[in-house]
Amino acid sequence: MVQTQASPFVEPWQPTPRAKTIIAVVTAVIVVLSAATYVVQRIWVTPEAAVEGYFGALADRDVSKAASYIEGSSTATSDIVKSEQYVAPTKVKVGAVEGDKVKTVKVSFFVGDQPMNAEIPLHRKKELTLGLFRGWALDGDLPSIQISTSAPVDVQVNGKPLPPEAQESRVLQVFPGRYVVSVADNPLIDSTPVAVNAASGENEANLEPKIKADAHAAVDAQIKEYLKGCVTKNVETCPFTSSISKQVWRIDTYPTIEVRLDESGAVRVETATRGKATVTGTGYGGYATNDSMSFDLSGSVVVDQGKLKFQPE
């Protein structure tokens, strides 16, 4: 019997018609996916798209979403942005994009009727979106508001207290938009609110705290009640006194007072025009006598359980 010797060469694989069809379909899918990924990356995952999404989140007052565009950004100003006093940017127009690995996007917008401009730097995100797309993140140099006051008082922004991290420095990192800075709600002190349109960089808000007009009237009424008590009791803190016995006091003229906020933040009461009082009684030797005198008044005003309280000195 003649034996056939096996060929040392491997015969090339010849795909079947079905295998050819499968290969063609898989190749087409890969090409389509690659093209789609390229299109998505070039059209939707762009610096411009990131900036538009960021301002869109601000228009919705969605701080969490806005912060997601900025790596390491805080949501501490969420209540401030959700306030009705916050005015979000409108009519946003994304302009030229410059740079390579680090991009800078020029953007213009309005805050109310005030036109504003900003240049926003962006960089590539480290992580991929859906495992395919490498998006863009805004750099975290947010606008800031430096708040200063002529006297140390508590302040608020858009009717909300400062976040804990800004209470000592009085420097508040904010998102673009309009903010209203004022003295914190207080029955004694207020200020003219200061509106700040923050687009970029550092912005200042200078407050001039002052005594409320109705607080001045309330303090004046308390002082008169206090002096009436001095007439009937003549306690040690009263601004007038006498050595005669069986004293009977009469206030002829009430003093006019000035209520002011000093540099330490305390509210001081001082005399603008002196008052006058008359006392009658028994003098040396048992004789009836009387005496008239002028007097000053000083003290401070504090807020006690939400109410004003005059404290004489």
Side-chain angles (χ1 to χ4, degrees), residues 73-91:
S73 181
S74 169
T75 58
T77 58
S78 180
D79 289 343
I80 293 174
V81 170
K82 289 179 180 178
S83 166
E84 292 181 357
Q85 292 182 313
Y86 172 71
V87 178
T90 59
K91 302 178 184 178

Side-chain angles (χ1 to χ4, degrees), residues 263-276:
E263 61 184 12
S264 70
V267 178
R268 305 290 305 168
V269 174
E270 298 175 348
T271 300
T273 304
R274 303 185 78 187
K276 293 181 179 181

Side-chain angles (χ1 to χ4, degrees), residues 1 22 33 47 62 65 97 114 210 223 225 243 291-292 303:
M1 176 181 292
I22 293 173
L33 288 177
D62 189 339
K65 185 176 180 181
V97 180
Q114 180 72 36
K210 59 185 179 181
I223 288 173
E225 287 300 314
S243 60
D291 190 17
S292 295
V303 178

Side-chain angles (χ1 to χ4, degrees), residues 242 244-250 277-283 287-292:
S242 175
I244 66 176
S245 60
K246 298 181 181 180
Q247 299 174 10
V248 177
W249 287 92
R250 180 184 74 245
T278 298
V279 60
T280 59
T282 303
Y287 294 100
T289 185
N290 64 76
D291 190 17
S292 295

Side-chain angles (χ1 to χ4, degrees), residues 161-276:
L162 293 179
E165 60 268 29
Q167 289 179 1
E168 183 175 352
S169 66
R170 300 291 180 91
V171 177
L172 180 65
Q173 299 292 324
V174 297
F175 296 99
R178 177 178 296 165
Y179 299 85
V180 179
V181 183
S182 61
V183 170
D185 291 338
N186 187 310
L188 186 55
I189 303 167
D190 66 5
S191 67
T192 300
V194 175
V196 179
N197 292 331
S200 60
E202 298 178 355
N203 304 269
E204 294 185 354
N206 301 313
L207 296 178
E208 293 291 338
K210 59 185 179 181
I211 307 298
K212 289 183 176 180
D214 56 353
H216 195 291
V219 171
D220 193 56
Q222 281 197 30
I223 288 173
K224 287 183 177 179
E225 287 300 314
Y226 159 71
L227 291 175
K228 288 177 182 178
C230 287
V231 168
T232 57
K233 301 175 185 177
N234 196 24
V235 297
E236 290 183 0
T237 60
C238 289
F240 42 78
T241 186
S242 175
S243 60
I244 66 176
S245 60
K246 298 181 181 180
Q247 299 174 10
V248 177
W249 287 92
R250 180 184 74 245
I251 295 178
D252 302 311
T253 304
Y254 284 95
T256 57
I257 53 99
E258 179 182 288
V259 183
R260 67 178 183 84
L261 184 67
D262 71 15
E263 61 184 12
S264 70
V267 178
R268 305 290 305 168
V269 174
E270 298 175 348
T271 300
T273 304
R274 303 185 78 187
K276 293 181 179 181

